[in-house]
Amino acid sequence: MKRIFERYRNDFVSLIWLGLGAFLAVALATYSPLDPSFNSFGGSGSAKNLCGVLGSFLADGLYQAFGIAAWIFVFSALRQIWRSPARPWWLDGLAVVLVSTLLALHFQNVKYFDDTIRIGGWIGQMMVSTFIWALNPVGFGIILWTLTAALFVVYFDRAWLASLRWPNIPVGKMFSGLRALGAHFSRQWRTKKVVAPVAPKAKAIFKLRETSVPKMNSELNFSEKPADSLNAEALAVPISQAVQLKRQVIRTPRRIENWQLPKLSLLNDSPHPSRTSHDEREVKAKARLLVEKLSQFSVRGEVVGIKPGPAVTMFEFKPAADVKISKITELADDLSLALSSESVRIIAPIPGRDVVGIETSNSQRETVFVKDIVSQEEFWSEDCKLPVALGRKADGEARIVDLRKMPHLLVAGSTGSGKSVFVVSMITSLLFRHSPKTLKLILVDPKQVDLAGFSHIPHLVMPPIREPRKAVGALRWAIREMEKRYRSMSKFGARGLEAFNEIAEGLKKDEIQSHQEFNMSLEGSFHPDSYYFQQLPYIVIVVEEFGDLMAVDKVNVEQAVVRLAQMARACGIHLVLAMQSPRKDVVTGLIKTNIPGRISFKVASKMDSRIILDESGAERLLARGDMLFLAPGVSKPERHHGPYLSEEEIHRIVESWRVQGEPEYDQVAMKAIEGSGGGFDLAGGGADDDLGGSDEIQDDRYDEVLEWVASQKEVSASLLQRRFRLGYPRAARMIEVFESEGVIGPSNGSKPRQVLVREMPK
């Protein structure tokens, strides 16, 4: 019973509000002053009100108190049916009082129902008599209308100037122009007036001079430095460790059609209002030790900048002209010992700079919370279609990336590095921006743990996949979906998913009906002539342990991933592949070539780091969220600290979606994963291929190949390739089917298979 109530809770609540609004409307509409009420009793004691005595008492009380403004209560009740954004209860009461007072002010002598009900009720009359002596009618009216306009903005969550922006109303255009002009002068004033920007995006630096300067909380004073160790003129420290994490109040979209987006209040606030303050003495000591240790190995230079961050501090070291860069990179372990640091990473050199970056771990690490990243204005920008809360940079600046522009992502990290937490936070950040109308998810979780919390969200195309072999069917479905989307885009002349959705949104009813009739006449949703004519959502495929898929069926998985990575971007399909160990047999050359977006948490060895990032360094990262992000088109990875998301936060966000509806699985996709061993040719099978994946191979050349194999003594996949000019996946699949049917013997290393059947009679 509880399950049924939770499933239809929204419907029950809507029906209750509908009944309440209807009862109140009928009671007010059929009110009669002769009915029994608080002020009068009819002779017979019976009520003419259609809602009986209760309705007559209710209507009389509301009319006497608020006048005609009592009808606002009807509107407030009916407003709940469409799941309007939640508003405090006192807003409805304030609206009634304001309208009642306005009516009493402007229509003092108007009465209804045989002169028994004042138009503003006794509350409106009382408000007017209380304030009219001090403000006079004009002044009191200005205040009332101003409060009413302010209430309109809050109540309907809409700027009141926007309501004036109609084509033929010059008032709206005038106010828009004045507002734009004011914003222009405001920007000019801020540019001239502001002397220090605010964190976390602030990068203001304080010059440290040899002369005495007023001491500030954000200033580091190296007055006791050796003459050759530090460049006092160039040393820079960001202001981020001294100023607050500033709370941003932004107006975010709350609804997409009939879906209610999650609220930011579902996420936990940072426990501390300000950034962790870094110890100046510790930073000074590390800078001196760094220079001294390098000088012991004949590496001369000076520290020209310091950038503290949430997990690490980067020292910008400018070597002397005669120092080789390779000599510095070899000293990472020695510097780690000298600085008593858990990890030291050397960036030699920093791209576009003439300095070497030396990153050391902080003694006190700061936790980055998802709410601090999601609350950034950039996250809600329309230009960012699929925002991912990446975390904070090494200098503390919040970082948000668009998966739509990457367009695919490889994530690697050993146990305890924070990889799984990042994948979960990435999915969560997408759920904050998109409803099931605009985003669909395919989740592959062989470990059956990390993504289990998202099993019941309505964004799913199919149930979360826990068997690696079923994941192959899911990838095959994605390829077919990609092909159909490209056919649709080609038919309507669209170059991308966004352009296609704009065209589909503008189709007329007769055009939609024509397209629908044509597609219904075809057999199957993936018929070679079928196409979409309605708006399409983005599709994100998340694989939590990609190594398991490659271990089970490397050939088919690699072929599918490469094909999607090469072509799926324009049609809105994106891949996120996560793994613990980025081995060569998992992250192959073809996969790396087609997926330029990479993220690496702490890995076990330099070799793993080179495989995922094409350079070493990830093996020296810290645990629990420390990462290197290699963006497409960037030569060097940047260090970030990933956000933390608790189990309670995940549960609250998932629950906010689960109560709104259950997932509607794609039936064709369900067939694809229920039979994942079929003969669908990943290299380009035709429309007659069995997407459902029966155990029998669906190949028109099957009989021809079988007849030839029966005439041979030995056979191999490469032999079938050369003989019949087949692709390797197709030939290998035929070998597997022949073995299962007893046509050929089992595998014997690299030797050909023995044929067990005789030649077929002609």
Side-chain angles (χ1 to χ4, degrees), residues 145-260:
W145 283 109
T146 303
L147 292 175
T148 304
L151 182 66
F152 177 89
V153 173
V154 178
Y155 198 88
F156 293 97
D157 196 16
R158 178 179 174 83
W160 69 278
L161 287 177
S163 62
L164 299 177
R165 291 173 188 163
W166 299 331
N168 298 324
I169 297 185
V171 178
K173 295 182 180 180
M174 179 185 68
F175 276 108
S176 299
L178 290 176
R179 187 173 63 174
L181 186 62
H184 170 74
F185 284 111
S186 177
R187 287 193 299 267
Q188 296 293 330
W189 182 85
R190 287 198 301 267
T191 302
K192 297 178 180 179
K193 193 74 176 178
V194 175
V195 294
V198 232
K201 290 191 175 181
K203 291 187 177 179
I205 59 176
F206 292 92
K207 301 293 184 179
L208 304 181
R209 306 182 183 277
E210 296 179 357
T211 58
S212 60
V213 294
K215 189 168 183 61
M216 302 177 64
N217 292 333
S218 57
E219 175 187 359
L220 295 184
N221 184 7
F222 286 86
S223 58
E224 302 175 359
K225 69 175 183 64
D228 296 333
S229 61
L230 301 174
N231 185 346
E233 286 295 327
L235 190 61
V237 181
I239 192 177
S240 58
Q241 75 259 27
V243 297
Q244 290 186 351
L245 246 174
K246 186 178 179 180
R247 302 289 180 192
Q248 295 194 22
V249 181
I250 58 175
R251 189 176 300 278
T252 59
R254 291 268 61 86
R255 296 176 62 83
I256 297 181
E257 291 193 351
N258 61 329
W259 297 98
Q260 183 82 16

Side-chain angles (χ1 to χ4, degrees), residues 402-663:
D402 190 358
L403 182 61
R404 183 78 176 118
K405 297 177 181 178
M406 276 200 268
H408 311 289
L409 187 61
L410 285 176
V411 184
S414 58
T415 303
S417 63
K419 169 183 64 69
S420 298
V421 176
F422 169 76
V423 172
V424 171
S425 66
M426 181 202 67
I427 297 174
T428 303
S429 61
L430 294 176
L431 295 180
F432 267 96
R433 274 289 303 270
H434 290 279
S435 74
K437 174 71 175 178
T438 56
L439 174 68
K440 292 293 184 180
L441 295 174
I442 298 177
L443 305 180
V444 181
D445 185 17
K447 293 190 293 187
Q448 307 181 22
V449 175
D450 297 325
L451 306 182
F454 302 99
S455 299
H456 302 290
I457 59 176
H459 299 71
L460 297 179
V461 175
M462 57 188 73
I465 299 172
R466 296 178 173 87
E467 300 176 18
R469 291 193 179 274
K470 287 189 176 182
V472 178
L475 294 175
R476 289 170 173 168
W477 175 87
I479 291 176
R480 286 294 185 86
E481 175 71 11
M482 176 188 70
E483 293 172 347
K484 184 174 180 179
R485 289 189 172 204
Y486 272 115
R487 286 198 304 270
S488 308
M489 291 161 56
S490 176
K491 181 175 181 62
F492 290 96
R495 298 187 60 183
L497 184 67
E498 292 81 7
F500 173 81
N501 285 338
E502 290 181 4
I503 296 174
E505 186 180 11
L507 291 178
K508 299 179 181 178
K509 291 184 178 180
D510 55 343
E511 294 176 329
I512 295 176
Q513 184 177 0
S514 175
H515 293 309
Q516 187 174 3
E517 291 175 355
F518 175 79
N519 280 270
M520 290 181 64
S521 66
L522 303 176
E523 297 180 358
S525 60
F526 283 120
H527 190 277
D529 294 330
S530 64
Y531 57 89
Y532 290 114
F533 51 90
Q534 66 273 17
Q535 291 180 298
L536 297 174
Y538 298 107
I539 297 178
V540 178
I541 304 174
V542 182
V543 181
E544 170 54 31
E545 189 46 66
F546 184 62
D548 288 356
L549 303 190
M550 294 291 283
V552 172
D553 194 351
K554 178 179 179 180
V555 174
N556 285 331
V557 170
E558 182 182 14
Q559 290 269 336
V561 168
V562 170
R563 192 169 181 191
L564 288 171
Q566 288 176 338
M567 300 179 59
R569 174 181 183 175
C571 66
I573 300 178
H574 304 271
L575 295 171
V576 178
L577 309 179
M579 66 208 75
Q580 287 190 0
S581 179
R583 304 185 305 271
K584 283 186 177 181
D585 57 339
V586 176
V587 186
T588 62
L590 281 175
I591 293 177
K592 288 179 61 177
T593 301
N594 291 282
I595 304 182
R598 323 268 180 79
I599 290 178
S600 179
F601 293 82
K602 184 178 179 60
V603 293
S605 63
K606 289 184 179 180
M607 181 59 66
D608 290 347
S609 178
R610 290 192 180 101
I611 291 174
I612 190 68
L613 295 176
D614 297 325
E615 66 175 47
S616 61
E619 76 281 358
R620 294 186 174 275
L621 295 176
L622 306 173
R624 296 181 290 115
D626 197 16
M627 73 167 82
L628 290 175
F629 171 59
L630 181 63
V634 178
S635 59
K636 291 285 185 179
E638 295 180 343
R639 195 165 188 172
H640 294 72
H641 197 71
Y644 171 73
L645 194 69
S646 65
E647 293 293 332
E648 293 77 12
E649 292 174 284
I650 298 172
H651 176 74
R652 290 196 293 265
I653 295 167
V654 170
E655 188 68 14
S656 69
W657 280 116
R658 189 186 67 82
V659 297
Q660 296 189 55
E662 296 182 348

